[in-house]
Amino acid sequence: MTDNAMPSVADRADFEVELDELRVREKAHSREADAIAAARRRLPMVEVDAGITVTGPDGPVTLLDAFEGRKQLIAYYHMWHTGHPAAEQCPGCTWCNGAVGELSYLHSRDITYAVFCQGPYDESRRYRDFMGWTMPWYSAVGSLDQLLVGRTIGQMYLVCYVRDGDRVFETYWTTLRGVEVMDNSYHLMDLTVYGRREPYEDSPAGWPQEWDMSLIPHILSTNGRPIAQWSRLEAGHSDDLTAR
């Protein structure tokens, strides 16, 4: 990056002309996203055993119970490194779940959001509490082979379910960059002139791109920790995940 890496300067009229040209592409992108969402709503579904258990604060509950009586369930499968300290837990999953705050809008559409952690309940729940998250939290250990059939255990996933009475069906799932739908920070970065500052982006010469995607998970960490942990530590939250 050079000290003067900036866009060219234009007057207001020329700026608006080029912005209007970009708007045409943005609107086409929005329409295509709407079309993809429409196709997603028309996918077939596959039945899942509603009696598969996950562990919550009161012990084992069924997948059906995790709906909390609502029609739909979005489950985020949080990666976990059992026995490792908070500083070594997944920066990507910390990034994703850190963007989930207000759940009332999902609830108004009859959707429950919950985390199905791929690690033990007590240890991972302490991480949830350290981060100050409030979403329902379960451990899916022991049931991952059934819940993630055909997928690689240990990766991050969003999985969508719908129920018909006491029957549960899986309707959609995504992984890797698909989980970006959870994050507002990246979407806001994409609106700025420097973008995400990551080398894979197509940017003009000299643009800052110091957040190297090849160094995952370091693009979501600073000073050896997931970025979001530092504010919790500064606020006096304990990151001790050991039994107590």
Side-chain angles (χ1 to χ4, degrees):
M1 175 186 178
T2 60
D3 290 340
N4 60 348
M6 300 280 283
S8 60
V9 178
D11 61 28
R12 171 62 62 176
D14 288 342
F15 170 70
E16 294 295 343
V17 166
E18 295 209 27
L19 184 57
D20 286 344
E21 292 176 355
L22 183 63
R23 286 276 188 261
V24 174
R25 298 177 61 189
E26 289 179 333
K27 289 179 180 179
H29 177 73
S30 294
R31 287 191 289 270
E32 178 62 13
D34 290 343
I36 291 171
R40 189 180 295 119
R41 291 191 291 272
R42 289 163 172 79
L43 288 172
M45 60 186 184
V46 60
E47 188 161 10
V48 180
D49 181 357
I52 295 173
T53 59
V54 292
T55 301
D58 299 318
V61 298
T62 66
L63 177 61
L64 183 63
D65 291 332
F67 279 72
E68 297 182 341
R70 299 185 181 92
K71 181 72 173 181
Q72 297 183 88
L73 168 68
I74 300 173
Y76 180 82
Y77 286 80
H78 189 108
M79 296 167 60
W80 191 257
H81 305 296
T82 302
H84 289 235
E88 297 176 9
Q89 294 304 326
C90 178
C93 292
T94 302
W95 160 64
C96 287
N97 274 315
V100 177
E102 183 59 65
L103 297 177
S104 62
Y105 296 102
L106 291 174
H107 294 171
S108 74
R109 274 28 172 216
D110 215 13
I111 301 167
T112 292
Y113 176 88
V115 171
F116 286 6
C117 188
Q118 300 179 60
Y121 179 78
D122 289 341
E123 184 178 283
S124 65
R125 170 62 187 265
R126 281 190 284 273
Y127 189 72
R128 168 195 181 267
D129 294 345
F130 162 57
M131 294 304 300
W133 300 333
T134 58
M135 74 283 284
W137 190 276
Y138 303 93
S139 168
V141 170
S143 299
L144 291 170
D145 286 335
Q146 295 171 279
L147 290 166
L148 296 177
V149 60
R151 284 155 283 193
T152 301
I153 294 172
Q155 292 185 1
M156 59 178 72
Y157 297 98
L158 274 174
V159 182
C160 298
Y161 303 93
V162 66
R163 69 182 182 91
D164 182 10
D166 292 338
R167 300 173 70 189
V168 172
F169 301 85
E170 183 178 329
T171 62
Y172 180 73
W173 65 275
T174 189
T175 182
L176 300 177
R177 286 200 66 183
V179 300
E180 284 186 15
V181 69
M182 301 174 67
D183 178 67
N184 52 20
S185 297
Y186 263 12
H187 294 300
L188 291 172
M189 291 177 197
D190 286 342
L191 301 180
T192 70
V193 68
Y194 293 138
R196 303 181 186 193
R197 302 168 72 121
E198 296 172 359
Y200 80 92
E201 292 178 294
D202 181 2
S203 295
W207 253 229
Q209 293 186 316
E210 69 273 30
W211 292 85
D212 191 345
M213 284 291 292
S214 68
L215 299 179
I216 290 174
H218 304 293
I219 60 164
L220 299 171
S221 299
T222 56
N223 299 322
R225 281 183 179 270
I227 293 169
Q229 289 187 6
W230 290 109
S231 61
R232 275 69 177 184
L233 291 169
E234 290 169 3
H237 297 190
S238 172
D239 68 344
D240 182 8
L241 306 183
T242 59
R244 57 182 181 274

